[in-house]
Amino acid sequence: MHAVVCVKQVPEQNSVKITADKQINSDGINPIINLFDEYAIEEALQWAEKNDGQVTVISLGSDDATDSLKKALAMGANEAVLINDPALEHVDSQSAAKVVAAAIKKLDNVNIVFCGKQSTDDETGQFGPALARFLGWPQLTYVFKVHELSETSIVVDRALEDTLETVEASLPVVVTAVKDLNEPRYPSLLKIRKVSKQPIPTWSLGDLGLGGSDVAGNVQVADRVPPPARPSGEMISGNVQTQVSSLVQKLVENQIL
Amino acid sequence: MDFQLTQEQQELRQTVREFAERELLPKAKEVDEKAQIPASTWKKMADTGLMGLPFAEELGGAGADAISAALAVEEIARCCGSTALSYAAHVGLGSAPIAMFGNDQQKQQFLRPAAEGRYLGAFGLTEPHAGSDAGSTRTTAVREGNEWVINGAKMWITNAAEAGHLIVTAITNKDRGKRGISAIIIPQGTPGVHFGSPEHKMGLRGSNTHAITFDNVRVPAENLLGAEGDGFVQFLKVLDGGRISIGAMAIGLGVAAMEAAVSYARERQAFGHAIGSYQSISNMLADMDTELEAARLLILRAAWLKENGKPFTREAAIAKLYASEASERACRNAVQIFGGYGYSSEYPVERYYRDTRLLTIGEGTSEILRMVISRGLLGELA
């Protein structure tokens, strides 16, 4: 079994600044592996361990993203690939999926791709489904449990808004992970040492048989502004009785009770 | 001169920091209150490779250098002092002597399980009547056939009752003074080893400390660590390394106190302004940052010397002395900045203050360290 995990490096907190040209400036904020992708890595590792398979992690990003790939290697992934090209600097989700699909086709015999259900920075949630489309594979989104995974098929539970769904699909397949799919392991300190100096192969668009026009993108960000600040809380004064009745009244008014 | 940590050191440090923030910090208050570190914590630390961080990969370790090992202790202490003390004692005192002086058999039998985190190691040096003056050891080990028979008592031994093995110093030849002291490894469960109740301590309460008595304790002759009579020289070397750990731990606690104080000084208002805007407060914060940074440089230099096989007794003594006292000032002033809240267990700074108080005492008191350092300046005086 050969599993690929798509890993995005994102800022740890959302306290990013928006620059004059509407881009996101995350300088000084610790970069981490996208939360949902950590679950994807752990799930791939667990099944690869059970099935004697191998795990390749792929990230599309700048050279800095090698930090996240090395962390995934130190967690136990076998190989890592960085896709880095100047034309990808402001790539949209759909084009990113197109590029990563090309990279997955370039790899040998991939049976399954795990992604997080969304990234915690852009939050489009489009990457996994778009990737499945470009690969022409079925997609299993919002997966919170993988029951079985063999060389040919997979059985998972999906957490939908009102329904929990158990689904079986044939491989190859794209799976997107929700939070709490598993408990991601910490990287091994021994492996951190080993991968620290290991070069990560980098593929450009050219390496994937693509050009700048393939990733031109259909989505332009017209504007970016910080969300309005939360209104400050209100202190309810008076004796306990007045406070309680006032609180209850407000809860009813706001349809919380 | 290169003040830059290597890529590997930075990555190890970041990983330990993330681990400690997620796994140790949320439990630190409870660890102190219940005077117990959960077994699951040790299991998770073992899974990451922390328990054998500086030991060779072939022996179950992670093969990290002395600088990374010091940074790891600092990061653990920043989140939980008790865990840091038991960890530092496990690595630096309970395990390192076997890595330094043990033969292959001892390394496989005792160092490997400790490095893999299957159990904690402990080191018994201090006695009821011999702390700083460890040359006055009274515990004896007498050779009978193929065994050592150990009698005596030890005091203030970190991890003792939980440890899978205990390294003890004992007199094997009373006529040779300090040259008659040897170190012997006692496996867990050996008959005749009795542990006192856990000591009720001011701080670092989650890290258990015990008195031990040895009543005709018999261990195989091959459990002698290194050569007979080498015990005194061995533990001086062990303590040199231990001082780097304790200094690193002091910095971690000091940094935790400083970070808490900075955050409080930003938020707490007095007379219409954040208290950090008053120089009485901001100067305390500036002093904390300055002293902790200086302490870290001293610790990292001592670790660098150790890693490069150069003498570091003086540098480790200076670093531990300075770091432990700087940490105590930082924690003291953090309590001061928090005012009444600082004196309450509602906030963690009182715990940092209690925790750091040990560090000018354990593994060489400030007074002994000043003696070590000044002797280097003065030489032997008449």
Side-chain angles (χ1 to χ4, degrees), chain B residues 131-156:
Chain B
S132 297
D133 180 16
S136 299
T137 294
R138 293 186 193 171
T139 296
T140 58
V142 176
R143 183 74 183 260
E144 283 185 17
N146 282 330
E147 291 180 324
W148 291 103
V149 183
I150 303 164
N151 282 285
K154 296 287 174 183
M155 195 76 196
W156 308 119

PDB file of all heavy atoms in Angstrom, chain B residues 131-156:
ATOM      1  N   GLY B 131      25.958  15.182  52.821  1.00  0.00           N
ATOM      2  CA  GLY B 131      25.332  15.808  51.659  1.00  0.00           C
ATOM      3  C   GLY B 131      26.435  16.387  50.802  1.00  0.00           C
ATOM      4  O   GLY B 131      27.026  15.702  49.969  1.00  0.00           O
ATOM      5  N   SER B 132      26.736  17.669  51.042  1.00  0.00           N
ATOM      6  CA  SER B 132      27.821  18.306  50.294  1.00  0.00           C
ATOM      7  C   SER B 132      29.142  17.568  50.531  1.00  0.00           C
ATOM      8  O   SER B 132      29.972  17.453  49.632  1.00  0.00           O
ATOM      9  CB  SER B 132      27.975  19.756  50.754  1.00  0.00           C
ATOM     10  OG  SER B 132      26.806  20.480  50.459  1.00  0.00           O
ATOM     11  N   ASP B 133      29.305  17.075  51.742  1.00  0.00           N
ATOM     12  CA  ASP B 133      30.540  16.364  52.096  1.00  0.00           C
ATOM     13  C   ASP B 133      30.378  14.875  51.772  1.00  0.00           C
ATOM     14  O   ASP B 133      30.397  14.016  52.644  1.00  0.00           O
ATOM     15  CB  ASP B 133      30.803  16.570  53.595  1.00  0.00           C
ATOM     16  CG  ASP B 133      32.079  15.867  54.048  1.00  0.00           C
ATOM     17  OD1 ASP B 133      32.900  15.488  53.180  1.00  0.00           O
ATOM     18  OD2 ASP B 133      32.245  15.709  55.269  1.00  0.00           O
ATOM     19  N   ALA B 134      30.237  14.586  50.459  1.00  0.00           N
ATOM     20  CA  ALA B 134      29.908  13.216  50.052  1.00  0.00           C
ATOM     21  C   ALA B 134      31.063  12.252  50.313  1.00  0.00           C
ATOM     22  O   ALA B 134      30.870  11.043  50.319  1.00  0.00           O
ATOM     23  CB  ALA B 134      29.512  13.187  48.581  1.00  0.00           C
ATOM     24  N   GLY B 135      32.265  12.802  50.544  1.00  0.00           N
ATOM     25  CA  GLY B 135      33.402  11.943  50.886  1.00  0.00           C
ATOM     26  C   GLY B 135      33.195  11.240  52.224  1.00  0.00           C
ATOM     27  O   GLY B 135      33.888  10.268  52.540  1.00  0.00           O
ATOM     28  N   SER B 136      32.257  11.754  53.037  1.00  0.00           N
ATOM     29  CA  SER B 136      32.004  11.155  54.350  1.00  0.00           C
ATOM     30  C   SER B 136      30.963  10.043  54.299  1.00  0.00           C
ATOM     31  O   SER B 136      30.322   9.737  55.306  1.00  0.00           O
ATOM     32  CB  SER B 136      31.523  12.217  55.333  1.00  0.00           C
ATOM     33  OG  SER B 136      32.503  13.199  55.475  1.00  0.00           O
ATOM     34  N   THR B 137      30.764   9.483  53.134  1.00  0.00           N
ATOM     35  CA  THR B 137      29.820   8.372  52.959  1.00  0.00           C
ATOM     36  C   THR B 137      30.046   7.299  54.021  1.00  0.00           C
ATOM     37  O   THR B 137      31.186   6.946  54.335  1.00  0.00           O
ATOM     38  CB  THR B 137      30.019   7.775  51.545  1.00  0.00           C
ATOM     39  OG1 THR B 137      29.624   8.754  50.601  1.00  0.00           O
ATOM     40  CG2 THR B 137      29.221   6.505  51.335  1.00  0.00           C
ATOM     41  N   ARG B 138      28.925   6.779  54.584  1.00  0.00           N
ATOM     42  CA  ARG B 138      29.040   5.705  55.593  1.00  0.00           C
ATOM     43  C   ARG B 138      28.517   4.367  55.087  1.00  0.00           C
ATOM     44  O   ARG B 138      28.811   3.335  55.685  1.00  0.00           O
ATOM     45  CB  ARG B 138      28.275   6.095  56.862  1.00  0.00           C
ATOM     46  CG  ARG B 138      28.895   7.272  57.599  1.00  0.00           C
ATOM     47  CD  ARG B 138      28.163   7.507  58.912  1.00  0.00           C
ATOM     48  NE  ARG B 138      28.531   8.793  59.492  1.00  0.00           N
ATOM     49  CZ  ARG B 138      27.925   9.329  60.536  1.00  0.00           C
ATOM     50  NH1 ARG B 138      26.911   8.692  61.122  1.00  0.00           N
ATOM     51  NH2 ARG B 138      28.313  10.492  61.017  1.00  0.00           N
ATOM     52  N   THR B 139      27.668   4.416  54.053  1.00  0.00           N
ATOM     53  CA  THR B 139      27.143   3.151  53.510  1.00  0.00           C
ATOM     54  C   THR B 139      28.317   2.274  53.079  1.00  0.00           C
ATOM     55  O   THR B 139      29.291   2.761  52.499  1.00  0.00           O
ATOM     56  CB  THR B 139      26.218   3.447  52.313  1.00  0.00           C
ATOM     57  OG1 THR B 139      25.108   4.178  52.790  1.00  0.00           O
ATOM     58  CG2 THR B 139      25.735   2.169  51.630  1.00  0.00           C
ATOM     59  N   THR B 140      28.219   0.973  53.402  1.00  0.00           N
ATOM     60  CA  THR B 140      29.328   0.071  53.072  1.00  0.00           C
ATOM     61  C   THR B 140      28.874  -1.025  52.113  1.00  0.00           C
ATOM     62  O   THR B 140      27.702  -1.387  52.086  1.00  0.00           O
ATOM     63  CB  THR B 140      29.860  -0.637  54.345  1.00  0.00           C
ATOM     64  OG1 THR B 140      28.775  -1.364  54.941  1.00  0.00           O
ATOM     65  CG2 THR B 140      30.439   0.349  55.339  1.00  0.00           C
ATOM     66  N   ALA B 141      29.819  -1.512  51.342  1.00  0.00           N
ATOM     67  CA  ALA B 141      29.583  -2.689  50.495  1.00  0.00           C
ATOM     68  C   ALA B 141      30.761  -3.637  50.726  1.00  0.00           C
ATOM     69  O   ALA B 141      31.912  -3.259  50.533  1.00  0.00           O
ATOM     70  CB  ALA B 141      29.494  -2.290  49.031  1.00  0.00           C
ATOM     71  N   VAL B 142      30.426  -4.839  51.175  1.00  0.00           N
ATOM     72  CA  VAL B 142      31.475  -5.825  51.488  1.00  0.00           C
ATOM     73  C   VAL B 142      31.363  -6.971  50.495  1.00  0.00           C
ATOM     74  O   VAL B 142      30.262  -7.451  50.205  1.00  0.00           O
ATOM     75  CB  VAL B 142      31.298  -6.342  52.937  1.00  0.00           C
ATOM     76  CG1 VAL B 142      32.327  -7.433  53.249  1.00  0.00           C
ATOM     77  CG2 VAL B 142      31.417  -5.185  53.918  1.00  0.00           C
ATOM     78  N   ARG B 143      32.492  -7.367  49.965  1.00  0.00           N
ATOM     79  CA  ARG B 143      32.488  -8.456  48.985  1.00  0.00           C
ATOM     80  C   ARG B 143      32.393  -9.792  49.706  1.00  0.00           C
ATOM     81  O   ARG B 143      33.226 -10.103  50.566  1.00  0.00           O
ATOM     82  CB  ARG B 143      33.798  -8.374  48.180  1.00  0.00           C
ATOM     83  CG  ARG B 143      33.942  -9.383  47.074  1.00  0.00           C
ATOM     84  CD  ARG B 143      33.052  -9.023  45.889  1.00  0.00           C
ATOM     85  NE  ARG B 143      33.170 -10.058  44.861  1.00  0.00           N
ATOM     86  CZ  ARG B 143      33.924  -9.940  43.776  1.00  0.00           C
ATOM     87  NH1 ARG B 143      34.630  -8.835  43.577  1.00  0.00           N
ATOM     88  NH2 ARG B 143      33.984 -10.923  42.903  1.00  0.00           N
ATOM     89  N   GLU B 144      31.379 -10.578  49.385  1.00  0.00           N
ATOM     90  CA  GLU B 144      31.253 -11.937  49.922  1.00  0.00           C
ATOM     91  C   GLU B 144      31.049 -12.863  48.742  1.00  0.00           C
ATOM     92  O   GLU B 144      29.986 -12.856  48.123  1.00  0.00           O
ATOM     93  CB  GLU B 144      30.065 -12.044  50.884  1.00  0.00           C
ATOM     94  CG  GLU B 144      30.343 -11.462  52.250  1.00  0.00           C
ATOM     95  CD  GLU B 144      29.180 -11.686  53.226  1.00  0.00           C
ATOM     96  OE1 GLU B 144      28.310 -12.547  52.948  1.00  0.00           O
ATOM     97  OE2 GLU B 144      29.134 -10.971  54.245  1.00  0.00           O
ATOM     98  N   GLY B 145      32.070 -13.615  48.414  1.00  0.00           N
ATOM     99  CA  GLY B 145      31.987 -14.506  47.245  1.00  0.00           C
ATOM    100  C   GLY B 145      31.757 -13.696  45.990  1.00  0.00           C
ATOM    101  O   GLY B 145      32.479 -12.738  45.713  1.00  0.00           O
ATOM    102  N   ASN B 146      30.703 -14.047  45.264  1.00  0.00           N
ATOM    103  CA  ASN B 146      30.405 -13.346  44.016  1.00  0.00           C
ATOM    104  C   ASN B 146      29.380 -12.233  44.208  1.00  0.00           C
ATOM    105  O   ASN B 146      28.685 -11.868  43.262  1.00  0.00           O
ATOM    106  CB  ASN B 146      29.894 -14.333  42.965  1.00  0.00           C
ATOM    107  CG  ASN B 146      31.043 -15.101  42.362  1.00  0.00           C
ATOM    108  OD1 ASN B 146      32.174 -14.587  42.278  1.00  0.00           O
ATOM    109  ND2 ASN B 146      30.779 -16.342  41.995  1.00  0.00           N
ATOM    110  N   GLU B 147      29.286 -11.735  45.446  1.00  0.00           N
ATOM    111  CA  GLU B 147      28.272 -10.723  45.718  1.00  0.00           C
ATOM    112  C   GLU B 147      28.857  -9.544  46.489  1.00  0.00           C
ATOM    113  O   GLU B 147      29.850  -9.687  47.199  1.00  0.00           O
ATOM    114  CB  GLU B 147      27.125 -11.327  46.549  1.00  0.00           C
ATOM    115  CG  GLU B 147      26.281 -12.332  45.783  1.00  0.00           C
ATOM    116  CD  GLU B 147      25.164 -12.907  46.647  1.00  0.00           C
ATOM    117  OE1 GLU B 147      25.380 -13.106  47.862  1.00  0.00           O
ATOM    118  OE2 GLU B 147      24.077 -13.128  46.104  1.00  0.00           O
ATOM    119  N   TRP B 148      28.175  -8.399  46.347  1.00  0.00           N
ATOM    120  CA  TRP B 148      28.395  -7.275  47.255  1.00  0.00           C
ATOM    121  C   TRP B 148      27.257  -7.283  48.271  1.00  0.00           C
ATOM    122  O   TRP B 148      26.100  -7.456  47.888  1.00  0.00           O
ATOM    123  CB  TRP B 148      28.376  -5.947  46.504  1.00  0.00           C
ATOM    124  CG  TRP B 148      29.546  -5.748  45.589  1.00  0.00           C
ATOM    125  CD1 TRP B 148      29.561  -5.865  44.239  1.00  0.00           C
ATOM    126  CD2 TRP B 148      30.875  -5.385  45.990  1.00  0.00           C
ATOM    127  NE1 TRP B 148      30.817  -5.612  43.752  1.00  0.00           N
ATOM    128  CE2 TRP B 148      31.648  -5.305  44.804  1.00  0.00           C
ATOM    129  CE3 TRP B 148      31.507  -5.122  47.209  1.00  0.00           C
ATOM    130  CZ2 TRP B 148      33.004  -4.976  44.802  1.00  0.00           C
ATOM    131  CZ3 TRP B 148      32.852  -4.790  47.211  1.00  0.00           C
ATOM    132  CH2 TRP B 148      33.592  -4.720  46.028  1.00  0.00           C
ATOM    133  N   VAL B 149      27.607  -7.083  49.531  1.00  0.00           N
ATOM    134  CA  VAL B 149      26.583  -6.988  50.571  1.00  0.00           C
ATOM    135  C   VAL B 149      26.584  -5.550  51.076  1.00  0.00           C
ATOM    136  O   VAL B 149      27.578  -5.068  51.624  1.00  0.00           O
ATOM    137  CB  VAL B 149      26.863  -7.968  51.725  1.00  0.00           C
ATOM    138  CG1 VAL B 149      25.737  -7.899  52.754  1.00  0.00           C
ATOM    139  CG2 VAL B 149      27.016  -9.382  51.189  1.00  0.00           C
ATOM    140  N   ILE B 150      25.454  -4.875  50.838  1.00  0.00           N
ATOM    141  CA  ILE B 150      25.390  -3.426  51.080  1.00  0.00           C
ATOM    142  C   ILE B 150      24.562  -3.142  52.335  1.00  0.00           C
ATOM    143  O   ILE B 150      23.468  -3.684  52.511  1.00  0.00           O
ATOM    144  CB  ILE B 150      24.773  -2.712  49.863  1.00  0.00           C
ATOM    145  CG1 ILE B 150      25.608  -3.051  48.614  1.00  0.00           C
ATOM    146  CG2 ILE B 150      24.716  -1.204  50.072  1.00  0.00           C
ATOM    147  CD1 ILE B 150      24.917  -2.730  47.309  1.00  0.00           C
ATOM    148  N   ASN B 151      25.096  -2.274  53.197  1.00  0.00           N
ATOM    149  CA  ASN B 151      24.388  -1.819  54.400  1.00  0.00           C
ATOM    150  C   ASN B 151      24.565  -0.315  54.551  1.00  0.00           C
ATOM    151  O   ASN B 151      25.642   0.208  54.280  1.00  0.00           O
ATOM    152  CB  ASN B 151      24.933  -2.526  55.656  1.00  0.00           C
ATOM    153  CG  ASN B 151      24.379  -3.934  55.773  1.00  0.00           C
ATOM    154  OD1 ASN B 151      23.229  -4.144  56.135  1.00  0.00           O
ATOM    155  ND2 ASN B 151      25.223  -4.907  55.425  1.00  0.00           N
ATOM    156  N   GLY B 152      23.502   0.358  54.979  1.00  0.00           N
ATOM    157  CA  GLY B 152      23.620   1.793  55.208  1.00  0.00           C
ATOM    158  C   GLY B 152      22.327   2.505  54.865  1.00  0.00           C
ATOM    159  O   GLY B 152      21.247   1.890  54.831  1.00  0.00           O
ATOM    160  N   ALA B 153      22.429   3.810  54.617  1.00  0.00           N
ATOM    161  CA  ALA B 153      21.231   4.616  54.358  1.00  0.00           C
ATOM    162  C   ALA B 153      21.555   5.753  53.404  1.00  0.00           C
ATOM    163  O   ALA B 153      22.676   6.262  53.379  1.00  0.00           O
ATOM    164  CB  ALA B 153      20.704   5.183  55.680  1.00  0.00           C
ATOM    165  N   LYS B 154      20.558   6.111  52.607  1.00  0.00           N
ATOM    166  CA  LYS B 154      20.674   7.257  51.699  1.00  0.00           C
ATOM    167  C   LYS B 154      19.494   8.191  51.958  1.00  0.00           C
ATOM    168  O   LYS B 154      18.471   7.789  52.526  1.00  0.00           O
ATOM    169  CB  LYS B 154      20.657   6.781  50.234  1.00  0.00           C
ATOM    170  CG  LYS B 154      21.854   5.909  49.855  1.00  0.00           C
ATOM    171  CD  LYS B 154      23.134   6.706  49.734  1.00  0.00           C
ATOM    172  CE  LYS B 154      24.347   5.828  49.507  1.00  0.00           C
ATOM    173  NZ  LYS B 154      25.600   6.598  49.457  1.00  0.00           N
ATOM    174  N   MET B 155      19.638   9.407  51.529  1.00  0.00           N
ATOM    175  CA  MET B 155      18.638  10.443  51.859  1.00  0.00           C
ATOM    176  C   MET B 155      18.411  11.321  50.630  1.00  0.00           C
ATOM    177  O   MET B 155      19.349  11.549  49.864  1.00  0.00           O
ATOM    178  CB  MET B 155      19.241  11.272  52.995  1.00  0.00           C
ATOM    179  CG  MET B 155      18.297  12.152  53.739  1.00  0.00           C
ATOM    180  SD  MET B 155      17.284  11.201  54.871  1.00  0.00           S
ATOM    181  CE  MET B 155      16.025  12.416  55.190  1.00  0.00           C
ATOM    182  N   TRP B 156      17.193  11.830  50.488  1.00  0.00           N
ATOM    183  CA  TRP B 156      16.849  12.783  49.409  1.00  0.00           C
ATOM    184  C   TRP B 156      17.099  12.192  48.028  1.00  0.00           C
ATOM    185  O   TRP B 156      17.677  12.843  47.161  1.00  0.00           O
ATOM    186  CB  TRP B 156      17.653  14.088  49.534  1.00  0.00           C
ATOM    187  CG  TRP B 156      17.578  14.731  50.868  1.00  0.00           C
ATOM    188  CD1 TRP B 156      18.613  14.981  51.709  1.00  0.00           C
ATOM    189  CD2 TRP B 156      16.401  15.220  51.519  1.00  0.00           C
ATOM    190  NE1 TRP B 156      18.178  15.584  52.858  1.00  0.00           N
ATOM    191  CE2 TRP B 156      16.810  15.736  52.758  1.00  0.00           C
ATOM    192  CE3 TRP B 156      15.038  15.262  51.196  1.00  0.00           C
ATOM    193  CZ2 TRP B 156      15.918  16.282  53.669  1.00  0.00           C
ATOM    194  CZ3 TRP B 156      14.143  15.810  52.092  1.00  0.00           C
ATOM    195  CH2 TRP B 156      14.590  16.313  53.312  1.00  0.00           C
TER     196      TRP B 156
END
